[in-house]
Amino acid sequence: MATVTTVGRPAPLSHRLAQALLIAPESALIAALLIINLFAPSIWIGAGMTLLILIFLIRFSALHLASLAIRHARWNAADALATVAYALHPRSPDALGLRGIVALTRDDAGSAVALLRRALDLAPDRATFALALSSALLEQGEVSAAERAARRALELEPANAAGHLCLAQALDAAGASPETIEKHLREGLAHHPAPDAEVSLRCALAQHLAREGRMAEAALALSAARAMLPRCSMAHRTAVGRHIADIEEVVRPQREDHAA
């Protein structure tokens, strides 16, 4: 596996060039053809450059549209677009990562783990891939590996709120103390996360507090999650909305029992 880039230290030029070639492998060939064309102009060289540029634009568009499709919970479209991008560039970490995320949403944790590990091998400094891998590993019951992936994401991006959520979930599955789990959930919220991550963190906190019998605090966390829900992406709104309803079914009767 490739070495993880040290956070806070500028990556060497060779590393940056390697990453650029991973993103746009056509660039080196286009540059070479352009130089050749300067000294020996040819219509075939021009056609070759045009074809390479067209392939790059198609792949870039497919990746962009696949990301948008994921945000709008259009999983079939996302999978088809990511597959097109992968076919045009099988070593694209973005195509592999997007296919892995789609596989995870389809409860195919085995495929998700394989795809996301390949994406991380190629782009070891992508915290997003490490977080998705942590979730996929947790789905497979590989708790220690899920914890390592979450910690790796936080090493890459210490202020990543979703990283604290993944770590808290892995530690919960590992049987960590309630205080440790709550600490990581609250640390995630302290980083002022984006709506998707904030709602997930507040739901996880509500569920954790309810298990600890702290029903009033759980209800407050759940209320804050519900208030934030309209600001989430469509994909997240659909999944988390059901989760909120499930937690409310646990919290409401127990609160009523305590009030009685």
Side-chain angles (χ1 to χ4, degrees):
M1 184 175 289
T3 304
V4 177
T5 305
T6 304
V7 178
R9 183 181 301 171
L13 179 60
S14 59
H15 174 79
R16 294 200 296 271
L17 287 173
Q19 290 299 304
L21 287 174
L22 266 180
I23 295 170
E26 304 91 350
S27 58
L29 190 52
I30 291 171
L33 289 174
L34 184 60
I35 292 170
I36 294 171
N37 198 55
L38 288 174
F39 296 97
S42 166
I43 188 171
W44 297 111
I45 293 176
M49 286 192 296
T50 301
L51 179 61
L52 288 171
I53 292 170
L54 184 61
I55 289 172
F56 170 75
L57 291 174
I58 291 171
R59 185 162 49 79
F60 180 83
S61 299
L63 289 172
H64 177 66
L65 291 172
S67 298
L68 289 177
I70 286 174
R71 284 189 58 82
H72 290 86
R74 297 174 60 187
W75 307 119
N76 290 335
D79 190 32
L81 288 162
T83 301
V84 168
Y86 174 77
L88 293 173
H89 180 18
R91 286 178 56 80
S92 166
D94 291 292
L96 288 163
L98 289 173
R99 290 182 69 204
I101 290 168
V102 172
L104 183 57
T105 65
R106 291 175 167 173
D107 297 323
D108 186 0
S111 296
V113 167
L115 289 163
L116 290 164
R117 276 182 169 153
R118 287 175 61 195
L120 270 173
D121 284 344
L122 294 167
D125 55 355
R126 299 285 289 275
T128 302
F129 297 159
L131 290 177
L133 177 60
S134 177
S135 297
L137 288 165
L138 198 57
E139 286 288 327
Q140 284 196 312
E142 298 182 41
V143 176
S144 297
E147 181 184 340
R148 288 195 298 272
R151 290 191 186 279
R152 179 178 179 178
L154 285 172
E155 287 174 5
L156 293 167
E157 294 182 10
N160 191 311
H164 286 284
L165 172 61
C166 286
L167 181 55
Q169 290 172 332
L171 290 171
D172 190 15
S177 68
E179 294 78 14
T180 300
I181 296 163
E182 183 176 348
K183 170 180 169 287
H184 282 291
L185 292 173
R186 294 196 183 278
E187 279 185 11
L189 288 168
H191 287 301
H192 306 292
D196 282 10
E198 181 173 347
V199 168
S200 291
L201 279 161
R202 292 194 183 280
C203 282
L205 181 60
Q207 193 168 35
H208 176 72
L209 293 169
R211 284 205 310 260
E212 294 300 300
R214 295 156 63 182
M215 295 302 161
E217 293 175 82
L220 285 173
L222 206 56
S223 177
R226 186 173 284 285
M228 181 65 66
L229 197 59
R231 295 175 57 191
C232 292
S233 65
M234 180 61 70
H236 207 68
R237 203 180 309 164
T238 303
V240 178
R242 292 193 297 268
H243 190 43
I244 289 176
D246 291 340
I247 300 172
E248 279 183 337
E249 287 183 8
V250 175
V251 172
R252 190 185 302 112
Q254 294 193 45
R255 284 199 72 198
E256 290 171 355
D257 290 342
H258 281 292

